[in-house]
Amino acid sequence: MPEQMTPLKDDAASGTTPAPPCTLVIFGAGGDLTKRLLMPSLYNLAGAGLLPEGFSIIGVDHSDGTDQSLRDTLTKTMEEFSKDPTSEFHAAHIDPKSWGFIRDRLHYLKGDFEKPETFQAVKDRVKGSAVFYCAVAARFFGTIVEGLGQAGLLKQEEGSFRRVVIEKPFGSDLASAKALNARILKQGDESQFYRIDHFLGKETVQSIMAFRFANGMLEPVWRREYIDSVQITAAETVGVEERGGFYEPTGALRDMVPNHMFQLLCMVAMEPPNSFGAEAVRSEKAKLAEAVRPIPPEDAVRGQYGAGTLEGHSVPGYRDEPHVAGDSVTETYIALKLAIENWRWAGVPFYVRTGKRMTGRRTEIAVLFKPAPFKMFEDTPTDDLGPTVMRITIDPDHGISTEYNVKVPGPEMKVGRVRTAFKYSDFFADTPNVGYETLLYDCMVGDATLFQRADNIEAGWAAVDPLLKGWPQADIPLYPAGSAGPKEADALLARDGRHWLGIDGTTD
Ligand code: BG6
């Protein structure tokens, strides 16, 4: 374990000034997202001094309540989450000053998202700049934006802003995503809509741009001539939990691929943008996503977890989870082979897999380099030398490691395999983070770099559209909970003479 090191140079200057005064209106104040992620993130932002004095929060929801009841409920959930080691927000204690800053600014408004009176009531209370956060089920996104637009709440006066944050899922296929974009863009300008993908709130994901574009060493080899293939994995050990109702019509493909997995894909494969400005970055991402060939069904493998053993405990199969049909054919695992049709990546397969109840938790991008060009080591055929593999690990560890071949010490020229690894925590202090801090702050300061533009969203859906249309409804391979996925997914790579890297971080 390396000792804690100081970054050799830390140019971080951004994010140090408080956001401009504004009101944050949260639709869905009684929901899980507000409790689990938004409040802890606001608390962390307050602790970092990044919220302005002129900041207030209005929570809107349909049940009865008062400012005081909202404050009491959220204080209680903050305390509970801080003590729960499995929650995103696990803190030694709650700092009364930071939480007091948030608590005293919380207000409640009872309202039905489908009624114009609700938006009139919001209008009576909101003056100046505002961020409207749709922390609600997806079916309300369009309704809320229309309510805001029709009440005149999206008109931006000189010197103030009106922005809307929209959660995922943004549509359920290409046609519905396009329809939702068209619907909201009737009410405001694209620059007012902040479509969230929480993977972009992860520091390690944001850092991929710096890693690729702040180092001259990588760019020359980051292309088809030197890279054999790329594997993008998001393996989870959790099952569907209480979300069967949402997950049944959704499945792993819609839940993870056109959004989260495509964000990772874009970060690792897009062309260098002209700047880190929001439009420059998002244009490069759109260009890359649009270059992904629509995925033919033969390049996709689905699976569903059956009963199995995970971390020493027996766990039920998906079909036995609450709110799931006993004969469900919804996929909880998907593996894909993507082809990027552009000059840099032609012929380099990007294998993508994601699944629930897998043997381990690992979100990672692994870049596999081409082998050395000829057999120089007599006792070790070049074919047996593993490839140089660079892994950008996003969860549960945050870091980058590279595996390559060196000489084993001794009189003979024998080749052995080693790994050099860097962890963010070895160099940088851990800042309290549940994942939404940067996103909320960026929205308040008007930096849309980490949010999805309409064309980014639509390009993701366009790539998976043939699968959604041509999906075989019957018969889905089962994999035991606690495994690495269905064997059919191994065959997807084996037919190209490749194999998946281990979910435990091994290469073989
Ligand atoms: C969510 C999906 O968007 O992302 C969940 O709806 C999934 O099904 C989650 O578990 C994964 O996010 P993370 O940050 O835990 O890797």
Side-chain angles (χ1 to χ4, degrees), residues 22-99:
C22 61
T23 306
L24 173 66
V25 181
I26 304 177
F27 293 95
D32 222 35
L33 181 75
T34 303
K35 292 178 189 152
R36 272 186 34 231
L37 296 165
L38 299 186
M39 288 304 133
S41 299
L42 290 169
Y43 163 83
N44 284 336
L45 285 174
L50 293 175
L51 294 179
E53 273 307 317
F55 178 67
S56 66
I57 306 164
I58 302 176
V60 186
D61 222 320
H62 53 77
S63 44
D64 288 331
T66 60
D67 292 356
Q68 195 54 45
S69 67
L70 181 66
R71 291 174 189 184
D72 291 347
T73 310
L74 294 175
T75 302
K76 194 161 153 257
T77 50
M78 286 290 285
E79 277 161 3
E80 282 165 10
F81 287 144
S82 71
K83 290 185 197 116
D84 175 1
T86 63
S87 82
E88 291 86 352
F89 177 63
H90 176 49
H93 73 288
I94 295 186
D95 170 42
K97 191 158 163 255
S98 305
W99 177 241

Side-chain angles (χ1 to χ4, degrees), residues 157-407:
E157 306 290 334
E158 186 73 27
S160 70
F161 59 81
R162 295 292 168 92
R163 299 180 184 134
V164 185
V165 180
I166 302 181
E167 272 290 332
K168 77 173 262 275
F170 196 97
S172 55
D173 57 14
L174 180 59
S176 56
K178 278 187 168 171
L180 182 54
N181 273 328
R183 194 171 167 197
I184 65 174
L185 290 169
K186 278 202 189 113
Q187 306 299 331
D189 184 70
E190 170 63 41
S191 62
Q192 292 177 272
F193 294 105
Y194 285 65
R195 300 172 192 82
I196 272 206
D197 185 306
H198 83 273
F199 265 44
L200 291 177
K202 295 177 190 272
E203 279 293 341
T204 346
V205 175
Q206 294 168 36
S207 182
I208 298 171
M209 281 202 290
F211 178 57
R212 282 190 60 199
F213 304 130
N215 295 295
M217 179 184 86
L218 290 176
E219 180 54 22
V221 295
W222 213 251
R223 58 190 61 252
R224 63 191 301 277
E225 289 84 349
Y226 302 99
I227 290 179
D228 168 81
S229 55
V230 176
Q231 295 188 12
I232 305 181
T233 300
E236 299 183 83
T237 49
V238 288
V240 72
E241 324 234 276
E242 295 301 315
R243 298 166 72 220
F246 156 76
Y247 204 80
E248 272 282 87
T250 305
L253 175 67
R254 287 188 171 92
D255 190 33
M256 295 292 289
V257 176
N259 34 62
H260 305 328
M261 304 306 272
F262 262 62
Q263 287 304 326
L264 301 182
L265 175 76
C266 288
M267 286 292 195
V268 77
M270 71 183 185
E271 293 299 312
N274 288 351
S275 75
F276 281 161
E279 294 321 312
V281 171
R282 299 192 305 171
S283 294
E284 289 307 336
K285 284 181 161 182
K287 222 167 91 189
L288 190 281
E290 283 160 9
V292 176
R293 187 176 60 203
I295 307 160
E298 60 275 19
D299 286 349
V301 170
R302 324 190 301 148
Q304 186 190 79
Y305 64 83
T309 309
L310 199 70
E311 289 152 3
H313 300 284
S314 302
V315 292
Y318 176 70
R319 289 175 189 166
D320 292 323
E321 300 278 20
H323 317 296
V324 171
D327 57 355
S328 170
V329 289
T330 296
E331 80 284 357
T332 60
Y333 173 99
I334 178 122
L336 303 166
K337 176 182 173 181
L338 305 184
I340 300 178
E341 298 185 315
N342 69 13
W343 194 268
R344 184 187 289 264
W345 296 117
V348 179
F350 281 68
Y351 300 106
V352 169
R353 63 180 159 167
T354 179
K356 295 204 180 284
R357 283 281 191 238
M358 297 187 68
T359 172
R361 163 100 163 122
R362 178 169 289 267
T363 306
E364 175 180 274
I365 301 171
V367 179
L368 290 83
F369 287 83
K370 288 192 169 162
F374 67 95
K375 297 183 184 189
M376 218 156 61
F377 304 95
E378 282 171 10
D379 292 339
T380 319
T382 317
D383 291 350
D384 289 356
L385 299 176
T388 303
V389 179
M390 183 175 279
R391 292 162 180 269
I392 301 171
T393 309
I394 292 143
D395 274 314
D397 297 325
H398 313 300
I400 300 172
S401 67
T402 311
E403 272 180 42
Y404 44 92
N405 306 308
V406 296
K407 177 181 170 296

Side-chain angles (χ1 to χ4, degrees), residues 449-501:
T449 314
L450 298 177
F451 296 84
Q452 301 235 68
R453 221 168 47 189
D455 54 351
N456 297 155
I457 295 254
E458 290 177 15
W461 282 117
V464 302
D465 212 45
L467 297 178
L468 296 174
K469 290 197 172 121
W471 223 218
Q473 280 313 308
D475 229 23
I476 182 161
L478 296 184
Y479 59 96
S483 71
K487 57 183 182 329
E488 287 79 352
D490 295 338
L492 181 71
L493 271 70
R495 88 185 180 201
D496 295 346
R498 299 189 177 90
H499 64 267
W500 292 108
L501 302 185

